[in-house]
PDB file of all heavy atoms in Angstrom:
ATOM      1  N   PHE E 521       0.834  -1.224  -0.005  1.00 80.00           N
ATOM      2  CA  PHE E 521      -0.044   0.004   0.047  1.00 80.00           C
ATOM      3  C   PHE E 521       0.899   1.259   0.001  1.00 80.00           C
ATOM      4  O   PHE E 521       0.476   2.244  -0.519  1.00 80.00           O
ATOM      5  CB  PHE E 521      -0.956  -0.037   1.209  1.00 80.00           C
ATOM      6  CG  PHE E 521      -0.428   0.394   2.502  1.00 80.00           C
ATOM      7  CD1 PHE E 521      -0.460   1.755   2.952  1.00 80.00           C
ATOM      8  CD2 PHE E 521       0.131  -0.555   3.267  1.00 80.00           C
ATOM      9  CE1 PHE E 521       0.087   2.037   4.132  1.00 80.00           C
ATOM     10  CE2 PHE E 521       0.621  -0.198   4.567  1.00 80.00           C
ATOM     11  CZ  PHE E 521       0.628   1.118   5.043  1.00 80.00           C
ATOM     12  N   ILE E 522       2.053   1.194   0.617  1.00 84.00           N
ATOM     13  CA  ILE E 522       2.952   2.334   0.551  1.00 84.00           C
ATOM     14  C   ILE E 522       3.524   2.526  -0.879  1.00 84.00           C
ATOM     15  O   ILE E 522       3.585   3.724  -1.303  1.00 84.00           O
ATOM     16  CB  ILE E 522       4.085   2.141   1.540  1.00 84.00           C
ATOM     17  CG1 ILE E 522       3.571   2.330   3.037  1.00 84.00           C
ATOM     18  CG2 ILE E 522       5.286   3.104   1.365  1.00 84.00           C
ATOM     19  CD1 ILE E 522       3.225   3.674   3.359  1.00 84.00           C
ATOM     20  N   LEU E 523       3.873   1.461  -1.498  1.00 87.00           N
ATOM     21  CA  LEU E 523       4.404   1.509  -2.893  1.00 87.00           C
ATOM     22  C   LEU E 523       3.370   2.005  -3.822  1.00 87.00           C
ATOM     23  O   LEU E 523       3.742   2.831  -4.786  1.00 87.00           O
ATOM     24  CB  LEU E 523       5.063   0.197  -3.268  1.00 87.00           C
ATOM     25  CG  LEU E 523       6.230  -0.269  -2.446  1.00 87.00           C
ATOM     26  CD1 LEU E 523       6.717  -1.586  -2.964  1.00 87.00           C
ATOM     27  CD2 LEU E 523       7.396   0.712  -2.451  1.00 87.00           C
ATOM     28  N   ALA E 524       2.148   1.578  -3.636  1.00 88.00           N
ATOM     29  CA  ALA E 524       1.070   2.039  -4.571  1.00 88.00           C
ATOM     30  C   ALA E 524       0.841   3.489  -4.375  1.00 88.00           C
ATOM     31  O   ALA E 524       0.624   4.224  -5.345  1.00 88.00           O
ATOM     32  CB  ALA E 524      -0.200   1.208  -4.329  1.00 88.00           C
ATOM     33  N   ASP E 525       0.879   3.907  -3.109  1.00 89.00           N
ATOM     34  CA  ASP E 525       0.664   5.320  -2.830  1.00 89.00           C
ATOM     35  C   ASP E 525       1.811   6.141  -3.396  1.00 89.00           C
ATOM     36  O   ASP E 525       1.686   7.272  -3.976  1.00 89.00           O
ATOM     37  CB  ASP E 525       0.573   5.543  -1.290  1.00 89.00           C
ATOM     38  CG  ASP E 525       0.277   6.966  -0.934  1.00 89.00           C
ATOM     39  OD1 ASP E 525      -0.904   7.330  -1.035  1.00 89.00           O
ATOM     40  OD2 ASP E 525       1.179   7.752  -0.536  1.00 89.00           O
ATOM     41  N   LEU E 526       3.042   5.617  -3.320  1.00 91.00           N
ATOM     42  CA  LEU E 526       4.148   6.315  -3.952  1.00 91.00           C
ATOM     43  C   LEU E 526       3.996   6.476  -5.415  1.00 91.00           C
ATOM     44  O   LEU E 526       4.275   7.591  -5.940  1.00 91.00           O
ATOM     45  CB  LEU E 526       5.401   5.508  -3.695  1.00 91.00           C
ATOM     46  CG  LEU E 526       6.763   6.041  -4.163  1.00 91.00           C
ATOM     47  CD1 LEU E 526       7.171   7.217  -3.279  1.00 91.00           C
ATOM     48  CD2 LEU E 526       7.844   4.975  -4.146  1.00 91.00           C
ATOM     49  N   ARG E 527       3.530   5.459  -6.102  1.00 92.00           N
ATOM     50  CA  ARG E 527       3.322   5.577  -7.551  1.00 92.00           C
ATOM     51  C   ARG E 527       2.258   6.661  -7.881  1.00 92.00           C
ATOM     52  O   ARG E 527       2.418   7.492  -8.776  1.00 92.00           O
ATOM     53  CB  ARG E 527       2.903   4.261  -8.202  1.00 92.00           C
ATOM     54  CG  ARG E 527       4.038   3.221  -8.182  1.00 92.00           C
ATOM     55  CD  ARG E 527       3.626   1.992  -9.004  1.00 92.00           C
ATOM     56  NE  ARG E 527       2.538   1.228  -8.325  1.00 92.00           N
ATOM     57  CZ  ARG E 527       2.715   0.269  -7.466  1.00 92.00           C
ATOM     58  NH1 ARG E 527       3.985  -0.089  -7.104  1.00 92.00           N
ATOM     59  NH2 ARG E 527       1.678  -0.352  -6.948  1.00 92.00           N
ATOM     60  N   ASP E 528       1.144   6.621  -7.092  1.00 92.00           N
ATOM     61  CA  ASP E 528       0.119   7.652  -7.308  1.00 92.00           C
ATOM     62  C   ASP E 528       0.620   9.065  -7.029  1.00 92.00           C
ATOM     63  O   ASP E 528       0.209   9.975  -7.833  1.00 92.00           O
ATOM     64  CB  ASP E 528      -1.098   7.330  -6.408  1.00 92.00           C
ATOM     65  CG  ASP E 528      -1.847   6.019  -6.790  1.00 92.00           C
ATOM     66  OD1 ASP E 528      -1.567   5.537  -7.958  1.00 92.00           O
ATOM     67  OD2 ASP E 528      -2.623   5.555  -6.003  1.00 92.00           O
ATOM     68  N   THR E 529       1.397   9.177  -6.033  1.00 92.00           N
ATOM     69  CA  THR E 529       1.983  10.545  -5.689  1.00 92.00           C
ATOM     70  C   THR E 529       2.864  11.065  -6.748  1.00 92.00           C
ATOM     71  O   THR E 529       2.768  12.188  -7.185  1.00 92.00           O
ATOM     72  CB  THR E 529       2.630  10.497  -4.299  1.00 92.00           C
ATOM     73  OG1 THR E 529       1.774  10.013  -3.329  1.00 92.00           O
ATOM     74  CG2 THR E 529       3.231  11.905  -3.963  1.00 92.00           C
ATOM     75  N   ARG E 530       3.728  10.190  -7.294  1.00 92.00           N
ATOM     76  CA  ARG E 530       4.524  10.548  -8.304  1.00 92.00           C
ATOM     77  C   ARG E 530       3.858  10.983  -9.604  1.00 92.00           C
ATOM     78  O   ARG E 530       4.198  11.965 -10.255  1.00 92.00           O
ATOM     79  CB  ARG E 530       5.494   9.387  -8.659  1.00 92.00           C
ATOM     80  CG  ARG E 530       6.639   9.749  -9.714  1.00 92.00           C
ATOM     81  CD  ARG E 530       7.502   8.529 -10.052  1.00 92.00           C
ATOM     82  NE  ARG E 530       8.261   8.003  -8.968  1.00 92.00           N
ATOM     83  CZ  ARG E 530       8.181   6.870  -8.419  1.00 92.00           C
ATOM     84  NH1 ARG E 530       7.288   5.969  -8.864  1.00 92.00           N
ATOM     85  NH2 ARG E 530       9.024   6.468  -7.408  1.00 92.00           N
ATOM     86  N   ALA E 531       2.799  10.193  -9.913  1.00 93.00           N
ATOM     87  CA  ALA E 531       2.031  10.502 -11.128  1.00 93.00           C
ATOM     88  C   ALA E 531       1.309  11.832 -10.993  1.00 93.00           C
ATOM     89  O   ALA E 531       1.299  12.673 -11.953  1.00 93.00           O
ATOM     90  CB  ALA E 531       0.944   9.408 -11.356  1.00 93.00           C
ATOM     91  N   GLY E 532       0.793  12.198  -9.839  1.00 92.00           N
ATOM     92  CA  GLY E 532       0.184  13.385  -9.539  1.00 92.00           C
ATOM     93  C   GLY E 532       1.060  14.555  -9.723  1.00 92.00           C
ATOM     94  O   GLY E 532       0.800  15.599 -10.260  1.00 92.00           O
ATOM     95  N   LEU E 533       2.317  14.447  -9.128  1.00 93.00           N
ATOM     96  CA  LEU E 533       3.287  15.440  -9.243  1.00 93.00           C
ATOM     97  C   LEU E 533       3.838  15.755 -10.643  1.00 93.00           C
ATOM     98  O   LEU E 533       4.165  16.740 -11.075  1.00 93.00           O
ATOM     99  CB  LEU E 533       4.411  15.275  -8.283  1.00 93.00           C
ATOM    100  CG  LEU E 533       4.060  15.431  -6.879  1.00 93.00           C
ATOM    101  CD1 LEU E 533       5.227  15.015  -5.897  1.00 93.00           C
ATOM    102  CD2 LEU E 533       3.861  16.942  -6.503  1.00 93.00           C
ATOM    103  N   CYS E 534       3.923  14.557 -11.396  1.00 93.00           N
ATOM    104  CA  CYS E 534       4.363  14.660 -12.741  1.00 93.00           C
ATOM    105  C   CYS E 534       3.345  15.452 -13.590  1.00 93.00           C
ATOM    106  O   CYS E 534       3.778  16.260 -14.468  1.00 93.00           O
ATOM    107  CB  CYS E 534       4.544  13.226 -13.263  1.00 93.00           C
ATOM    108  SG  CYS E 534       5.169  13.099 -14.906  1.00 93.00           S
ATOM    109  N   ALA E 535       2.125  15.270 -13.353  1.00 92.00           N
ATOM    110  CA  ALA E 535       1.052  16.005 -14.017  1.00 92.00           C
ATOM    111  C   ALA E 535       1.171  17.508 -13.727  1.00 92.00           C
ATOM    112  O   ALA E 535       0.849  18.363 -14.575  1.00 92.00           O
ATOM    113  CB  ALA E 535      -0.353  15.481 -13.674  1.00 92.00           C
ATOM    114  N   SER E 536       1.565  17.831 -12.516  1.00 89.00           N
ATOM    115  CA  SER E 536       1.621  19.301 -12.067  1.00 89.00           C
ATOM    116  C   SER E 536       2.938  19.883 -12.556  1.00 89.00           C
ATOM    117  O   SER E 536       2.974  21.080 -12.950  1.00 89.00           O
ATOM    118  CB  SER E 536       1.584  19.335 -10.573  1.00 89.00           C
ATOM    119  OG  SER E 536       0.430  18.832 -10.047  1.00 89.00           O
ATOM    120  N   LEU E 537       4.012  19.165 -12.544  1.00 92.00           N
ATOM    121  CA  LEU E 537       5.363  19.775 -12.696  1.00 92.00           C
ATOM    122  C   LEU E 537       6.003  19.365 -14.073  1.00 92.00           C
ATOM    123  O   LEU E 537       6.874  20.097 -14.581  1.00 92.00           O
ATOM    124  CB  LEU E 537       6.346  19.310 -11.581  1.00 92.00           C
ATOM    125  CG  LEU E 537       6.008  19.782 -10.180  1.00 92.00           C
ATOM    126  CD1 LEU E 537       6.865  19.092  -9.217  1.00 92.00           C
ATOM    127  CD2 LEU E 537       6.194  21.332 -10.117  1.00 92.00           C
ATOM    128  N   GLY E 538       5.558  18.204 -14.611  1.00 93.00           N
ATOM    129  CA  GLY E 538       6.276  17.706 -15.744  1.00 93.00           C
ATOM    130  C   GLY E 538       7.422  16.881 -15.337  1.00 93.00           C
ATOM    131  O   GLY E 538       7.958  16.933 -14.274  1.00 93.00           O
ATOM    132  N   ASP E 539       7.835  15.933 -16.188  1.00 92.00           N
ATOM    133  CA  ASP E 539       8.867  14.971 -15.820  1.00 92.00           C
ATOM    134  C   ASP E 539      10.171  15.613 -15.425  1.00 92.00           C
ATOM    135  O   ASP E 539      10.759  15.228 -14.413  1.00 92.00           O
ATOM    136  CB  ASP E 539       9.156  14.099 -17.092  1.00 92.00           C
ATOM    137  CG  ASP E 539       8.102  13.008 -17.275  1.00 92.00           C
ATOM    138  OD1 ASP E 539       7.461  12.645 -16.238  1.00 92.00           O
ATOM    139  OD2 ASP E 539       7.895  12.519 -18.430  1.00 92.00           O
ATOM    140  N   GLU E 540      10.671  16.594 -16.251  1.00 93.00           N
ATOM    141  CA  GLU E 540      11.984  17.119 -15.938  1.00 93.00           C
ATOM    142  C   GLU E 540      12.060  17.902 -14.596  1.00 93.00           C
ATOM    143  O   GLU E 540      12.956  17.693 -13.855  1.00 93.00           O
ATOM    144  CB  GLU E 540      12.324  18.085 -17.099  1.00 93.00           C
ATOM    145  CG  GLU E 540      13.778  18.644 -16.989  1.00 93.00           C
ATOM    146  CD  GLU E 540      14.135  19.427 -18.240  1.00 93.00           C
ATOM    147  OE1 GLU E 540      13.515  19.342 -19.240  1.00 93.00           O
ATOM    148  OE2 GLU E 540      15.122  20.197 -18.087  1.00 93.00           O
ATOM    149  N   THR E 541      11.066  18.699 -14.383  1.00 93.00           N
ATOM    150  CA  THR E 541      11.079  19.504 -13.100  1.00 93.00           C
ATOM    151  C   THR E 541      10.849  18.543 -11.940  1.00 93.00           C
ATOM    152  O   THR E 541      11.427  18.727 -10.851  1.00 93.00           O
ATOM    153  CB  THR E 541       9.887  20.482 -13.116  1.00 93.00           C
ATOM    154  OG1 THR E 541      10.075  21.371 -14.263  1.00 93.00           O
ATOM    155  CG2 THR E 541       9.933  21.354 -11.874  1.00 93.00           C
ATOM    156  N   LEU E 542      10.034  17.580 -12.045  1.00 93.00           N
ATOM    157  CA  LEU E 542       9.769  16.626 -11.000  1.00 93.00           C
ATOM    158  C   LEU E 542      11.089  15.871 -10.656  1.00 93.00           C
ATOM    159  O   LEU E 542      11.489  15.718  -9.474  1.00 93.00           O
ATOM    160  CB  LEU E 542       8.712  15.601 -11.371  1.00 93.00           C
ATOM    161  CG  LEU E 542       8.534  14.406 -10.432  1.00 93.00           C
ATOM    162  CD1 LEU E 542       8.134  14.856  -9.045  1.00 93.00           C
ATOM    163  CD2 LEU E 542       7.512  13.421 -10.985  1.00 93.00           C
ATOM    164  N   GLU E 543      11.862  15.472 -11.730  1.00 93.00           N
ATOM    165  CA  GLU E 543      13.084  14.725 -11.451  1.00 93.00           C
ATOM    166  C   GLU E 543      14.082  15.547 -10.778  1.00 93.00           C
ATOM    167  O   GLU E 543      14.899  15.190  -9.844  1.00 93.00           O
ATOM    168  CB  GLU E 543      13.577  14.144 -12.743  1.00 93.00           C
ATOM    169  CG  GLU E 543      12.806  12.866 -13.118  1.00 93.00           C
ATOM    170  CD  GLU E 543      12.664  11.876 -12.057  1.00 93.00           C
ATOM    171  OE1 GLU E 543      13.736  11.471 -11.470  1.00 93.00           O
ATOM    172  OE2 GLU E 543      11.551  11.429 -11.790  1.00 93.00           O
ATOM    173  N   ARG E 544      14.198  16.881 -11.185  1.00 94.00           N
ATOM    174  CA  ARG E 544      15.120  17.782 -10.460  1.00 94.00           C
ATOM    175  C   ARG E 544      14.766  17.859  -9.032  1.00 94.00           C
ATOM    176  O   ARG E 544      15.692  17.885  -8.153  1.00 94.00           O
ATOM    177  CB  ARG E 544      15.040  19.200 -11.088  1.00 94.00           C
ATOM    178  CG  ARG E 544      15.892  19.279 -12.331  1.00 94.00           C
ATOM    179  CD  ARG E 544      16.206  20.775 -12.630  1.00 94.00           C
ATOM    180  NE  ARG E 544      15.038  21.599 -12.801  1.00 94.00           N
ATOM    181  CZ  ARG E 544      14.366  21.867 -13.850  1.00 94.00           C
ATOM    182  NH1 ARG E 544      14.770  21.339 -15.026  1.00 94.00           N
ATOM    183  NH2 ARG E 544      13.276  22.645 -13.849  1.00 94.00           N
TER     184      ARG E 544
END
């Protein structure tokens, strides 16, 4: 459940910031 939440959080931030900014 923690890893699933991690994936969902990453996807949400990617939508807000874009891949490059999120990775920075």
Side-chain angles (χ1 to χ4, degrees):
F521 79 93
I522 288 289
L523 296 179
D525 186 77
L526 181 71
R527 290 190 293 270
D528 290 345
T529 303
R530 185 186 293 119
L533 287 173
C534 186
S536 300
L537 295 170
D539 284 333
E540 187 176 339
T541 305
L542 172 60
E543 284 309 307
R544 278 202 303 269

